[in-house]
Amino acid sequence: MAVYTVAFLAYIAEWTFGSRSKVARSAAALATAPEGGPAAGAGEPGGGVRVTVRAAGGGTRELTRPKVVTRSAAPGRDGIPDGPGAAGGDERGDTYGRIAVSLTVLAFLLHFGGVLLRGLAVQRAPWANMYEFSTTFSMVAVGGFLGFLAARRNVRWLGLPLVTTVLLDLGLAVTVLYSETDQLPPALQSVWLWIHVSLAIVCGAMFYLGMVATVAFLLRDRYEGRLADGGTPGRFAASVLERLPSSVSLDKFAYRINAVVFPLWTFTIIAGAIWAENAWGRYWGWDPKEVWSLITWLGYACYLHARATAGWRGRKAAYLAIAAFLCFLFNYYGVNMFVDDSLHSYADVDG
């Protein structure tokens, strides 16, 4: 946690120095000439590009290439470039950002070592109770973030909200959810502990990254919309939101995460049903955790369906994605801590 804390401070420094830099506002594309004016270009809202063609007889003709109509989450904003990132083009801010990422890598390695040592100490998969699940969950989320960075995705802006959440998660784990190593109940002594719970951790961690991108999309989309309507965003919006990727980029990023993870979540539920049949003699018993797992699945299924429906793209679909992730959180915290008649009570705070 100490290394994550120093990384958190470095991310803060990156955003702080980035706010002082004089970057070109990425939303300036929204403030160009009116539709059809001379500032409109190919693929931008408002028209095409004028091309002068010399005829065979020596004359000239002016042709206009028709505008390209594209479908996106934010219609008419496909041409808006991504923001310059948290550092905002500031050299010092970028240095702090690189330091923050390096510290995040170090913290992840220490975090991984801690989870591994826990597994060696208990001689089983280290995610059989809420403390172990929480620590592994945050580790996988950080690993996913670093994986996107390694793939050269524009996600360094995710570092600050991610590390903030990881610190909160680990703080809750060591103060409230901590449990001593103990023997597993018979129901947990199965290979499905490795399959079902590990998949649930991976799916939840990636759903979390998708949720953060979705919230960022909603904020950035509102910011772009206000500029397009001729409004003046507040100081915070002008300083922070202009540095994020465009709303279209954020929406696509969140959608791709959720679309890829959804089949894994489907298999997670199926694996849980198989485990339930082995442990309790039935595949499905409408246990509270089973019910909320299904509700979460339905939430993401509705989101993916909404994305395929033109009238529900953008903000409406984003609200569905956030609601689905909140169902996942309630399934983890709410059911485990506040529902007493669940067969999954072995995952309670006391282990």
Side-chain angles (χ1 to χ4, degrees):
M1 289 184 65
V3 182
Y4 278 127
T5 302
V6 179
F8 169 78
L9 296 176
Y11 283 119
I12 289 288
E14 179 187 18
W15 281 93
T16 301
F17 283 101
S19 66
R20 298 178 180 180
S21 64
K22 297 180 180 180
V23 298
R25 301 191 183 280
S26 60
L30 290 172
T32 55
E35 183 170 347
E44 295 179 3
V49 176
R50 295 187 178 276
V51 180
T52 302
V53 180
R54 184 175 300 276
T60 60
R61 292 185 60 188
E62 195 172 69
L63 303 178
T64 301
R65 180 185 301 169
K67 64 179 180 179
V68 179
V69 179
T70 60
R71 299 179 63 184
S72 67
R77 298 182 189 172
D78 287 347
I80 299 177
D82 291 340
D90 181 82
E91 184 176 352
R92 193 171 181 183
D94 183 67
T95 300
Y96 278 109
R98 293 177 183 275
I99 293 174
V101 172
S102 300
L103 290 170
T104 304
V105 173
L106 176 60
F108 170 76
L109 294 176
L110 295 174
H111 197 165
F112 177 80
V115 172
L116 180 62
L117 289 175
R118 177 76 175 194
L120 294 175
V122 298
Q123 294 295 307
R124 56 168 170 78
W127 44 71
N129 52 52
M130 290 189 70
Y131 165 72
E132 295 172 353
F133 189 102
S134 295
T135 54
T136 308
F137 176 91
S138 55
M139 181 197 72
V140 174
V142 174
F145 166 68
L146 295 177
F148 284 122
L149 283 179
R152 300 186 180 279
R153 300 294 182 183
N154 181 19
V155 296
R156 202 166 82 182
W157 60 271
L158 258 173
L160 181 58
L162 174 64
V163 171
T164 303
T165 306
V166 168
L167 286 172
L168 293 174
D169 178 69
L170 293 179
L172 181 64
V174 300
T175 58
V176 178
L177 305 178
Y178 181 78
S179 59
E180 297 291 342
T181 59
D182 54 6
Q183 297 296 320
L184 290 176
L188 279 177
Q189 297 175 6
S190 170
V191 68
W192 291 104
L193 173 64
W194 291 90
I195 301 173
H196 171 67
V197 183
S198 63
L199 283 175
I201 291 172
V202 171
C203 291
M206 299 309 295
F207 280 148
Y208 165 73
L209 295 180
M211 188 276 299
V212 175
T214 300
V215 173
F217 157 74
L218 291 174
L219 295 174
R220 173 76 187 204
D221 181 68
R222 184 179 296 276
Y223 168 70
E224 292 176 0
R226 189 167 185 177
L227 284 177
D229 294 336
T232 302
R235 184 175 181 180
F236 172 81
S239 173
V240 175
L241 299 183
E242 72 173 4
R243 287 181 272 167
L244 294 176
S246 69
S247 61
V248 174
S249 297
L250 290 168
D251 187 52
K252 288 180 180 178
F253 178 69
Y255 168 70
R256 287 168 181 169
I257 290 179
N258 293 329
V260 170
V261 176
F262 181 73
L264 293 178
W265 182 247
T266 303
F267 181 73
T268 301
I269 296 176
I270 295 173
I274 297 173
W275 189 8
E277 196 279 332
N278 291 338
W280 302 312
R282 88 301 188 271
Y283 289 99
W284 191 266
W286 297 104
D287 181 82
K289 186 166 284 290
E290 295 170 351
V291 171
W292 279 96
S293 295
L294 178 61
I295 292 174
T296 303
W297 185 90
L298 290 173
Y300 279 105
C302 290
Y303 163 75
L304 294 176
H305 177 72
R307 285 283 313 197
T309 305
W312 274 79
R313 288 190 174 192
R315 301 186 67 87
K316 293 181 180 179
Y319 293 138
L320 285 176
I322 294 175
F325 183 75
L326 291 177
C327 290
F328 177 89
L329 284 184
F330 180 80
N331 188 27
Y332 175 54
Y333 288 106
V335 173
N336 285 345
M337 301 180 69
F338 305 116
V339 178
D340 298 327
D341 59 345
S342 172
L343 289 174
H344 295 76
S345 59
Y346 52 76
D348 207 338
V349 177
D350 296 329

